[in-house]
mmCIF file of all heavy atoms in Angstrom:
data_model
loop_
_atom_site.group_PDB
_atom_site.id
_atom_site.type_symbol
_atom_site.label_atom_id
_atom_site.label_comp_id
_atom_site.label_asym_id
_atom_site.label_seq_id
_atom_site.Cartn_x
_atom_site.Cartn_y
_atom_site.Cartn_z
ATOM 1 N N LEU A 16 -16.767 6.684 -17.326
ATOM 2 C CA LEU A 16 -16.340 8.027 -17.712
ATOM 3 C C LEU A 16 -16.757 8.279 -19.156
ATOM 4 O O LEU A 16 -16.676 7.362 -19.997
ATOM 5 C CB LEU A 16 -14.814 8.181 -17.628
ATOM 6 C CG LEU A 16 -14.146 7.900 -16.279
ATOM 7 C CD1 LEU A 16 -13.680 6.458 -16.214
ATOM 8 C CD2 LEU A 16 -12.953 8.824 -16.053
ATOM 9 N N GLY A 17 -17.195 9.485 -19.444
ATOM 10 C CA GLY A 17 -17.590 9.822 -20.811
ATOM 11 C C GLY A 17 -17.373 11.298 -21.083
ATOM 12 O O GLY A 17 -17.421 12.127 -20.171
ATOM 13 N N SER A 18 -17.112 11.616 -22.347
ATOM 14 C CA SER A 18 -16.936 13.015 -22.757
ATOM 15 C C SER A 18 -17.229 13.127 -24.245
ATOM 16 O O SER A 18 -16.827 12.259 -25.028
ATOM 17 C CB SER A 18 -15.489 13.449 -22.467
ATOM 18 O OG SER A 18 -15.202 14.677 -23.112
ATOM 19 N N THR A 51 -17.782 6.044 -29.201
ATOM 20 C CA THR A 51 -19.122 5.450 -29.182
ATOM 21 C C THR A 51 -20.126 6.432 -29.775
ATOM 22 O O THR A 51 -20.011 7.644 -29.555
ATOM 23 C CB THR A 51 -19.549 5.106 -27.733
ATOM 24 O OG1 THR A 51 -19.775 6.326 -27.012
ATOM 25 C CG2 THR A 51 -18.495 4.279 -27.018
ATOM 26 N N LYS A 52 -21.102 5.903 -30.506
ATOM 27 C CA LYS A 52 -22.191 6.754 -31.026
ATOM 28 C C LYS A 52 -23.039 7.199 -29.851
ATOM 29 O O LYS A 52 -23.329 6.413 -28.950
ATOM 30 C CB LYS A 52 -23.078 5.943 -31.970
ATOM 31 C CG LYS A 52 -22.572 5.839 -33.378
ATOM 32 C CD LYS A 52 -23.476 6.614 -34.360
ATOM 33 C CE LYS A 52 -22.806 6.886 -35.682
ATOM 34 N NZ LYS A 52 -21.387 7.139 -35.653
ATOM 35 N N ALA A 53 -23.448 8.471 -29.883
ATOM 36 C CA ALA A 53 -24.257 8.985 -28.777
ATOM 37 C C ALA A 53 -25.594 8.261 -28.708
ATOM 38 O O ALA A 53 -26.267 8.086 -29.725
ATOM 39 C CB ALA A 53 -24.474 10.479 -28.950
ATOM 40 N N VAL A 54 -25.968 7.838 -27.513
ATOM 41 C CA VAL A 54 -27.298 7.312 -27.244
ATOM 42 C C VAL A 54 -28.137 8.508 -26.800
ATOM 43 O O VAL A 54 -27.665 9.332 -26.021
ATOM 44 C CB VAL A 54 -27.226 6.248 -26.119
ATOM 45 C CG1 VAL A 54 -28.610 5.855 -25.639
ATOM 46 C CG2 VAL A 54 -26.427 5.042 -26.579
ATOM 47 N N GLY A 55 -29.352 8.631 -27.291
ATOM 48 C CA GLY A 55 -30.188 9.772 -26.915
ATOM 49 C C GLY A 55 -30.232 10.805 -28.024
ATOM 50 O O GLY A 55 -30.056 10.473 -29.201
ATOM 51 N N PRO A 56 -30.435 12.064 -27.653
ATOM 52 C CA PRO A 56 -30.580 13.121 -28.671
ATOM 53 C C PRO A 56 -29.333 13.218 -29.551
ATOM 54 O O PRO A 56 -28.235 12.931 -29.081
ATOM 55 C CB PRO A 56 -30.742 14.393 -27.839
ATOM 56 C CG PRO A 56 -30.943 13.981 -26.443
ATOM 57 C CD PRO A 56 -30.492 12.576 -26.289
ATOM 58 N N GLN A 58 -26.074 14.265 -31.170
ATOM 59 C CA GLN A 58 -24.940 15.033 -30.645
ATOM 60 C C GLN A 58 -23.660 14.319 -31.072
ATOM 61 O O GLN A 58 -23.715 13.202 -31.583
ATOM 62 C CB GLN A 58 -25.022 15.141 -29.113
ATOM 63 C CG GLN A 58 -25.102 13.799 -28.397
ATOM 64 C CD GLN A 58 -25.362 13.946 -26.895
ATOM 65 O OE1 GLN A 58 -24.552 14.492 -26.186
ATOM 66 N NE2 GLN A 58 -26.514 13.451 -26.449
ATOM 67 N N ASP A 60 -20.165 12.134 -31.283
ATOM 68 C CA ASP A 60 -19.774 10.859 -30.677
ATOM 69 C C ASP A 60 -19.080 11.107 -29.339
ATOM 70 O O ASP A 60 -18.495 12.166 -29.118
ATOM 71 C CB ASP A 60 -18.789 10.118 -31.592
ATOM 72 C CG ASP A 60 -19.468 9.589 -32.843
ATOM 73 O OD1 ASP A 60 -20.706 9.683 -32.950
ATOM 74 O OD2 ASP A 60 -18.744 9.067 -33.708
ATOM 75 N N TYR A 61 -19.131 10.099 -28.484
ATOM 76 C CA TYR A 61 -18.479 10.165 -27.175
ATOM 77 C C TYR A 61 -17.166 9.392 -27.183
ATOM 78 O O TYR A 61 -16.956 8.496 -28.018
ATOM 79 C CB TYR A 61 -19.362 9.518 -26.108
ATOM 80 C CG TYR A 61 -20.438 10.414 -25.548
ATOM 81 C CD1 TYR A 61 -21.631 10.624 -26.236
ATOM 82 C CD2 TYR A 61 -20.282 11.040 -24.318
ATOM 83 C CE1 TYR A 61 -22.632 11.443 -25.716
ATOM 84 C CE2 TYR A 61 -21.272 11.854 -23.794
ATOM 85 C CZ TYR A 61 -22.439 12.045 -24.486
ATOM 86 O OH TYR A 61 -23.412 12.847 -23.968
ATOM 87 N N LEU A 62 -16.322 9.727 -26.218
ATOM 88 C CA LEU A 62 -15.232 8.846 -25.817
ATOM 89 C C LEU A 62 -15.619 8.318 -24.444
ATOM 90 O O LEU A 62 -15.953 9.104 -23.541
ATOM 91 C CB LEU A 62 -13.913 9.627 -25.764
ATOM 92 C CG LEU A 62 -12.635 8.793 -25.778
ATOM 93 C CD1 LEU A 62 -12.523 7.981 -27.074
ATOM 94 C CD2 LEU A 62 -11.397 9.695 -25.645
ATOM 95 N N ASN A 63 -15.657 7.002 -24.320
ATOM 96 C CA ASN A 63 -16.095 6.376 -23.070
ATOM 97 C C ASN A 63 -15.062 5.390 -22.548
ATOM 98 O O ASN A 63 -14.310 4.795 -23.316
ATOM 99 C CB ASN A 63 -17.409 5.601 -23.270
ATOM 100 C CG ASN A 63 -18.623 6.477 -23.350
ATOM 101 O OD1 ASN A 63 -19.253 6.626 -24.396
ATOM 102 N ND2 ASN A 63 -18.988 7.089 -22.241
ATOM 103 N N ARG A 95 -30.605 17.591 -19.960
ATOM 104 C CA ARG A 95 -30.472 16.302 -19.291
ATOM 105 C C ARG A 95 -29.583 15.328 -20.056
ATOM 106 O O ARG A 95 -28.659 14.764 -19.513
ATOM 107 C CB ARG A 95 -31.844 15.676 -19.048
ATOM 108 C CG ARG A 95 -31.692 14.427 -18.194
ATOM 109 C CD ARG A 95 -32.964 13.729 -17.809
ATOM 110 N NE ARG A 95 -32.623 12.528 -17.058
ATOM 111 C CZ ARG A 95 -33.259 11.389 -17.153
ATOM 112 N NH1 ARG A 95 -34.308 11.294 -17.951
ATOM 113 N NH2 ARG A 95 -32.875 10.339 -16.460
ATOM 114 N N TRP A 96 -29.881 15.097 -21.325
ATOM 115 C CA TRP A 96 -29.094 14.133 -22.098
ATOM 116 C C TRP A 96 -28.265 14.828 -23.179
ATOM 117 O O TRP A 96 -28.024 14.291 -24.244
ATOM 118 C CB TRP A 96 -30.003 13.052 -22.698
ATOM 119 C CG TRP A 96 -30.342 11.991 -21.687
ATOM 120 C CD1 TRP A 96 -29.956 11.951 -20.374
ATOM 121 C CD2 TRP A 96 -31.108 10.799 -21.893
ATOM 122 N NE1 TRP A 96 -30.440 10.832 -19.759
ATOM 123 C CE2 TRP A 96 -31.151 10.113 -20.663
ATOM 124 C CE3 TRP A 96 -31.769 10.255 -22.992
ATOM 125 C CZ2 TRP A 96 -31.826 8.894 -20.510
ATOM 126 C CZ3 TRP A 96 -32.440 9.052 -22.843
ATOM 127 C CH2 TRP A 96 -32.468 8.381 -21.614
ATOM 128 N N GLY A 97 -27.832 16.046 -22.871
ATOM 129 C CA GLY A 97 -27.061 16.824 -23.837
ATOM 130 C C GLY A 97 -25.576 16.518 -23.764
ATOM 131 O O GLY A 97 -25.131 15.756 -22.909
ATOM 132 N N ARG A 99 -21.542 16.792 -23.066
ATOM 133 C CA ARG A 99 -20.856 17.184 -21.840
ATOM 134 C C ARG A 99 -19.347 16.979 -21.953
ATOM 135 O O ARG A 99 -18.879 16.069 -22.642
ATOM 136 C CB ARG A 99 -21.416 16.452 -20.614
ATOM 137 C CG ARG A 99 -21.322 14.951 -20.561
ATOM 138 C CD ARG A 99 -22.466 14.158 -21.194
ATOM 139 N NE ARG A 99 -23.817 14.616 -21.053
ATOM 140 C CZ ARG A 99 -24.646 14.203 -20.097
ATOM 141 N NH1 ARG A 99 -24.256 13.356 -19.190
ATOM 142 N NH2 ARG A 99 -25.868 14.631 -20.078
ATOM 143 N N ASP A 102 -18.522 13.284 -17.880
ATOM 144 C CA ASP A 102 -19.610 12.620 -17.175
ATOM 145 C C ASP A 102 -18.998 11.471 -16.383
ATOM 146 O O ASP A 102 -18.280 10.640 -16.950
ATOM 147 C CB ASP A 102 -20.598 12.078 -18.229
ATOM 148 C CG ASP A 102 -21.916 11.650 -17.631
ATOM 149 O OD1 ASP A 102 -22.204 12.052 -16.481
ATOM 150 O OD2 ASP A 102 -22.655 10.922 -18.305
ATOM 151 N N ASP A 104 -20.056 8.432 -13.662
ATOM 152 C CA ASP A 104 -21.174 7.723 -13.035
ATOM 153 C C ASP A 104 -20.650 6.550 -12.220
ATOM 154 O O ASP A 104 -19.746 5.839 -12.668
ATOM 155 C CB ASP A 104 -22.117 7.158 -14.110
ATOM 156 C CG ASP A 104 -22.943 8.227 -14.777
ATOM 157 O OD1 ASP A 104 -23.429 9.124 -14.080
ATOM 158 O OD2 ASP A 104 -23.094 8.156 -16.012
ATOM 159 N N ARG A 128 -26.452 -0.631 -21.977
ATOM 160 C CA ARG A 128 -25.579 0.320 -22.664
ATOM 161 C C ARG A 128 -24.252 -0.308 -23.066
ATOM 162 O O ARG A 128 -23.384 -0.572 -22.225
ATOM 163 C CB ARG A 128 -25.310 1.527 -21.759
ATOM 164 C CG ARG A 128 -26.541 2.387 -21.607
ATOM 165 C CD ARG A 128 -26.286 3.597 -20.752
ATOM 166 N NE ARG A 128 -27.361 4.583 -20.923
ATOM 167 C CZ ARG A 128 -27.454 5.692 -20.223
ATOM 168 N NH1 ARG A 128 -26.557 5.985 -19.312
ATOM 169 N NH2 ARG A 128 -28.453 6.520 -20.447
ATOM 170 N N PHE A 130 -21.893 1.175 -24.502
ATOM 171 C CA PHE A 130 -20.777 2.088 -24.222
ATOM 172 C C PHE A 130 -20.284 1.965 -22.783
ATOM 173 O O PHE A 130 -19.197 2.421 -22.456
ATOM 174 C CB PHE A 130 -21.122 3.539 -24.609
ATOM 175 C CG PHE A 130 -22.162 4.246 -23.758
ATOM 176 C CD1 PHE A 130 -21.841 4.769 -22.518
ATOM 177 C CD2 PHE A 130 -23.468 4.411 -24.219
ATOM 178 C CE1 PHE A 130 -22.785 5.438 -21.757
ATOM 179 C CE2 PHE A 130 -24.425 5.086 -23.467
ATOM 180 C CZ PHE A 130 -24.080 5.598 -22.228
HETATM 181 N N1 LIG B 201 -23.996 8.136 -25.290
HETATM 182 C C1 LIG B 201 -22.756 7.623 -25.322
HETATM 183 N N2 LIG B 201 -22.367 6.948 -26.397
HETATM 184 N N3 LIG B 201 -21.890 7.747 -24.292
HETATM 185 C C2 LIG B 201 -22.234 8.425 -23.150
HETATM 186 O O1 LIG B 201 -21.416 8.530 -22.224
HETATM 187 C C3 LIG B 201 -23.531 8.970 -23.078
HETATM 188 N N4 LIG B 201 -23.969 9.642 -21.975
HETATM 189 C C4 LIG B 201 -25.190 10.116 -21.889
HETATM 190 C C5 LIG B 201 -26.207 9.957 -22.994
HETATM 191 C C6 LIG B 201 -26.701 11.333 -23.404
HETATM 192 C C7 LIG B 201 -27.354 9.110 -22.477
HETATM 193 N N5 LIG B 201 -25.656 9.320 -24.151
HETATM 194 C C8 LIG B 201 -24.398 8.813 -24.185
HETATM 195 O O2 LIG B 201 -25.570 10.734 -20.782
#
Side-chain angles (χ1 to χ4, degrees):
L16 303 94
S18 167
T51 70
K52 277 248 163 325
V54 170
Q58 56 187 296
D60 289 354
Y61 277 80
L62 198 62
N63 283 111
R95 187 177 177 218
W96 279 2
R99 62 272 321 266
D102 193 17
D104 287 318
R128 289 182 164 175
F130 70 78

